[in-house]
Amino acid sequence: MGSVVAQLPALIGVLIGTIGTIVATSVADRNRWKRSQTIRWDDRRLDAYVEFARVVKEIHAVAARMLSGQRPHSRSHPMDREEGLARLAEADVRHTLAWESLLLLGDASTVSAARTWRDAVWGIERAAREPLVGDDPDDLVQRANEARDLFYGAARGGLGVNGGSVAQAMILGARLDEIRADRALRQTPEARPAAETTGSPA
């Protein structure tokens, strides 16, 4: 009996060590499983974001090509109206599916930014479907570019993507301003003779 009592502290120590090992292993396994699930859902979230961006940008590009006649400084290749409408109809089906995936997997801020981008692109699409109705096409395109920047910023933030801003709207806007200024400069010599003939003599 005395030997059992003498060994009791050692047995308790072994028991505590075993329990501690089991608990530590269980916690580590649970954390590993959570990390695995997080990576898994981040992968699916990324796929949803990429697919949504791809189809929204396709709608943007097709509608902008349909509007190229109203945007003489645009570098978009013109697209026949009937072909454009057919491609918009196809893209709309894929957009609906991509939107549902985004709603299921996206975080609140990214979904909100995606909605803003989608609505801005719909403005371009409406202008393409009803030419010469609504806002200036250039303004619609710039609005969509700015909304796209917000979407990518929210998506990158939610996914923990580092590397700084990848915003493009300001660059594209500046490029458009340069094209407009160059076009105005080319038209100036044509207007100059009329101005000279109507001006006061020196």
Side-chain angles (χ1 to χ4, degrees), residues 45 48-49 52 98-119 147 150-152 154-155 158:
R45 191 174 294 120
Y49 292 170
F52 174 80
W99 177 246
E100 294 304 318
S101 295
L102 187 73
L103 289 178
L104 179 64
L105 297 167
D107 58 74
S109 61
T110 303
V111 170
S112 177
R115 185 180 294 109
T116 300
W117 184 22
R118 178 196 64 181
D119 291 348
L150 293 176
F151 170 75
Y152 281 126

Side-chain angles (χ1 to χ4, degrees), residues 58-150:
E58 179 183 349
I59 294 171
H60 178 140
V62 170
R65 290 179 63 184
M66 292 172 67
L67 285 169
S68 61
Q70 298 180 48
R71 304 175 65 225
H73 48 270
S74 171
R75 296 178 182 175
S76 298
H77 298 291
M79 179 177 288
D80 174 76
R81 177 175 171 77
E82 293 306 316
E83 179 187 356
L85 291 175
R87 290 186 58 176
L88 287 175
E90 293 174 1
D92 186 58
V93 174
R94 285 183 282 111
H95 163 266
T96 300
L97 299 176
W99 177 246
E100 294 304 318
S101 295
L102 187 73
L103 289 178
L104 179 64
L105 297 167
D107 58 74
S109 61
T110 303
V111 170
S112 177
R115 185 180 294 109
T116 300
W117 184 22
R118 178 196 64 181
D119 291 348
V121 170
W122 275 352
I124 304 173
E125 182 180 357
R126 279 193 295 271
R129 291 178 181 277
E130 303 174 23
L132 305 178
V133 175
D135 297 334
D136 181 343
D138 287 335
D139 293 339
L140 294 173
V141 169
Q142 183 63 18
R143 197 176 305 156
N145 288 337
E146 291 170 357
R148 180 186 61 176
D149 286 348
L150 293 176

